[in-house]
Amino acid sequence: MYKGVNEPVRYLLIDTPETNHPRLGKQPFGTEAKERNRALVNSGNLTLEFDVGKKRDKYGRLLIYV
């Protein structure tokens, strides 16, 4: 949640391989990254921090450190 809205995010400095990429398909360790992300998100409240640059990527996702 960011400013009361459930927003898609892209983690900074955390490698998150794709599991459903339309061109590349499933990347190595994608399933493990997805499970680790699920555990991280479900662990409780997370602190999100922005970098000094842009807040969003070209897909509209928030760019954050967790």
Side-chain angles (χ1 to χ4, degrees), residues 2-3 8 10 50-57 60-64:
Y2 176 66
K3 294 186 177 183
R10 180 171 183 193
F50 291 101
D51 202 353
V52 294
K54 294 181 180 180
K55 286 190 176 183
R56 295 187 183 270
D57 68 5
R61 299 175 295 193
L62 293 171
L63 298 169
I64 58 154

Side-chain angles (χ1 to χ4, degrees), residues 5-63:
V5 178
N6 191 7
E7 294 262 12
V9 300
R10 180 171 183 193
Y11 296 148
L12 297 173
L13 299 180
I14 297 178
D15 188 18
T16 52
E18 298 284 348
T19 57
N20 296 317
H21 193 279
R23 187 173 45 85
L24 301 174
K26 185 176 178 181
Q27 295 178 316
F29 300 105
T31 301
E32 293 85 351
K34 189 174 186 176
E35 289 303 316
R36 179 64 182 116
N37 181 62
R38 182 175 286 122
L40 180 66
V41 170
N42 291 330
S43 68
N45 291 332
L46 300 177
T47 300
L48 307 180
E49 187 173 325
F50 291 101
D51 202 353
V52 294
K54 294 181 180 180
K55 286 190 176 183
R56 295 187 183 270
D57 68 5
K58 66 181 182 179
Y59 302 107
R61 299 175 295 193
L62 293 171
L63 298 169

